[in-house]
Amino acid sequence: MLQPVPMSLSQRNRASEAQTLRTLNTFAVDLMSIPSVEDLFWYVAQNVVGKLGFIDCVIYQANEAQTELTQAAAWGEKNPFGRNIINPLVIPFGRGITGQVAQSGKPIIVDDLLGDKNYIADTQPARSEICVPLTSAGRVVGVIDSEHPDVAVFGEPELEILSTVAAMTSAKLELLAESQRSHERYEDLVAAHSQLTLETRSRKALEAKLFEARKLEAIGWLTGRFAHEFNNLLTVVSGNIELLELEALGVEKKDTLQSIKTASGRGAKLIQDMLAFAQRTRLAPEVLDLNTLVSTFCENFEQSLAQHVAQSLAGDLWSVSVDPMAMENMLLNLVLNGIDAMPNGGTLKITTENVFHTLLEGRHFPSELQPGRYVKLSVSDQGAGISEDRLPQIFDPFFTTKAVGEGTGLGLSMVLGVMRQSGGTVAVHSRVDEGSTFELYFPAGASGGNNVPSTNS
């Protein structure tokens, strides 16, 4: 514990003028590095007042409402616990000497406390007291108080010294308060900027989603209208082909007619895919067990193309309502795309599972999906993957990375159209050189089932 400079009572128990100047000068230098109000109060009590000849010091801090003072720091025999106050004293504004100073904002010197009715007796009664206010922004924020066991110890020199200390302390309090306000303003600006950034991103995401929805709607309308008109033309062509087939024709003409018929059939298939994307195809949905459909499809596919497809089918899969023919066409498109993406070989896998979809999970979907229960069917490959700049385009009609004549670019758009018309959607996850996964979400019917999970590697 710091000890006061030993002086005789005749010298008024205060430090010499040189010691006072050195102490105040050190205080002025150290002020800039004091980081908090608590550190400031303890520094003033122990390292300033404690070295200026005062035998004790108590610093009180006012509450925000300016209704009471609480002991915040102390030095001398009244605080033998170092930087810690046991049961800090709380004094209302206006009560006692310190309360009067807090209320009036003016310093007080009492020569004999025994004759002062406002004196609040302590465990160690004193006879003299000096008390000065701490002010910040025109408000009393605290009080510096010192007592002495002798009568009339404090005078103008002590008042001048303690008022100087109080003024320097108050100035630092204002700096700390302004620093806190600046920090709070900075935090508010950071929070506001973060909120604005989040809102901007959300708005851009919504605008992008709205743009995509409107684009698909416009393309779907044009595609459907074109497919309808083109289908009428194909009907005329097909009808005339049938009439020509009834006539006796030579081999060469029959071959030509067959080429026309084949081209007409391909055109009809193209029209079906376009109508599927435009959600204008005629679906005949049935309540199906996707596990059974997938197993049958994989068996037939492996027999016809000698290409193995791994399966991981969930047990107790919920039933779904979907057109079985459209479902097989979607599987065929996705599986063939997966094989084309793996020219050097790799594993192609179909997975089924029950899922609960939430709003937060729909950000990567090309169309809206209501929260609820769904059966998810995933087709995964280990192929070349799809770059990020191409992902937004893969469901557009006629978009393809294949060479001319190797594909129409309607496979994925047909899948999206059928899924949307069935109340579901498609999601895609892909990384370049790591492969792609297409997820089909089907609205679930009744829960439960007798399916046994199977895994064919």
Side-chain angles (χ1 to χ4, degrees), residues 227 231 265 267-278 281 329 414:
N231 190 56
K269 176 62 170 61
L270 185 66
I271 292 302
Q272 289 177 3
D273 289 345
M274 293 173 67
L275 288 172
F277 168 74
T281 189
N329 285 335
M414 180 273 294

Side-chain angles (χ1 to χ4, degrees), residues 341 381-387 430-436:
D381 64 66
Q382 296 176 326
I386 306 168
S387 61
S430 186
R431 288 182 178 274
V432 175
D433 297 328
E434 295 183 16
S436 304

Side-chain angles (χ1 to χ4, degrees), residues 106-142:
K106 297 178 180 180
I108 291 178
I109 293 178
V110 179
D111 290 333
D112 190 353
L113 292 171
L114 296 182
D116 194 312
K117 63 180 181 179
N118 293 314
Y119 176 59
I120 302 174
D122 203 344
T123 55
Q124 298 178 3
R127 296 298 298 274
S128 301
E129 183 172 359
I130 183 171
C131 196
V132 296
L134 297 171
T135 59
S136 176
R139 291 162 49 93
V140 174
V141 295

Side-chain angles (χ1 to χ4, degrees), residues 3 23 33 36 69 75 82 100 142 158 165 174 180 198 217 224 233 259 287 346 348 350 363 388 431 442:
Q3 297 298 325
T23 301
S33 60
S36 67
L69 298 167
W75 177 87
Q100 283 186 322
E158 286 77 17
V165 172
E174 290 192 6
Q180 179 63 27
L198 180 61
E217 182 181 0
L233 297 176
S259 298
V287 177
L348 190 69
I350 298 179
R363 296 174 182 173
E388 286 191 18
R431 288 182 178 274
F442 299 88

Side-chain angles (χ1 to χ4, degrees), residues 112-346:
D112 190 353
L113 292 171
L114 296 182
D116 194 312
K117 63 180 181 179
N118 293 314
Y119 176 59
I120 302 174
D122 203 344
T123 55
Q124 298 178 3
R127 296 298 298 274
S128 301
E129 183 172 359
I130 183 171
C131 196
V132 296
L134 297 171
T135 59
S136 176
R139 291 162 49 93
V140 174
V141 295
V143 171
I144 299 178
D145 179 74
S146 182
E147 297 180 351
H148 197 283
D150 296 330
V151 176
V153 170
F154 303 111
E156 288 300 321
E158 286 77 17
L159 179 60
E160 182 179 354
I161 292 172
L162 212 56
S163 295
T164 301
V165 172
M168 296 172 68
T169 304
S170 298
K172 179 62 178 181
L173 286 172
E174 290 192 6
L175 286 175
L176 290 172
E178 181 58 34
S179 177
Q180 179 63 27
R181 287 191 292 269
S182 297
H183 179 72
E184 291 173 355
R185 286 195 294 268
Y186 173 76
E187 292 293 332
D188 290 342
L189 286 173
V190 170
H193 181 267
S194 299
Q195 181 66 25
L196 181 60
T197 301
L198 180 61
E199 291 176 357
T200 301
R201 288 177 180 172
S202 299
R203 185 188 67 190
K204 288 183 178 179
L206 288 173
E207 289 175 350
K209 210 164 189 178
L210 179 60
F211 172 79
E212 186 67 20
R214 288 177 175 174
K215 182 189 75 172
L216 290 175
E217 182 181 0
I219 294 175
W221 185 85
L222 290 173
T223 302
R225 187 66 180 269
F226 172 78
H228 177 74
E229 297 296 334
F230 191 47
N231 190 56
N232 292 337
L233 297 176
L234 279 180
T235 301
V236 176
V237 173
S238 299
N240 281 282
I241 291 174
E242 292 176 0
L243 291 176
L244 289 173
E245 285 180 329
L246 297 176
E247 298 181 7
L249 301 173
V251 176
E252 184 178 345
K253 290 185 177 180
K254 285 185 177 180
D255 290 342
T256 302
L257 194 61
Q258 183 59 41
S259 298
I260 298 173
K261 188 175 182 179
T262 300
S264 176
R266 291 179 61 186
K269 176 62 170 61
L270 185 66
I271 292 302
Q272 289 177 3
D273 289 345
M274 293 173 67
L275 288 172
F277 168 74
Q279 303 181 63
R280 297 188 182 185
T281 189
R282 293 183 180 179
L283 298 178
E286 300 177 11
V287 177
L288 298 176
D289 169 23
L290 280 186
N291 284 349
T292 302
L293 190 147
V294 168
S295 297
T296 302
F297 170 84
C298 290
E299 182 180 349
N300 295 335
F301 185 83
E302 291 177 9
Q303 289 178 354
S304 59
L305 295 180
Q307 178 73 41
H308 177 66
V309 180
Q311 303 171 52
S312 179
L313 309 180
D316 293 325
L317 197 69
W318 297 324
S319 60
V320 298
S321 180
V322 64
D323 187 312
M325 185 65 69
M327 183 67 223
E328 290 185 8
N329 285 335
M330 289 191 294
L331 277 177
L332 183 61
N333 273 286
L334 293 175
V335 168
L336 290 177
N337 280 350
I339 293 174
D340 289 341
M342 299 186 296
N344 298 321

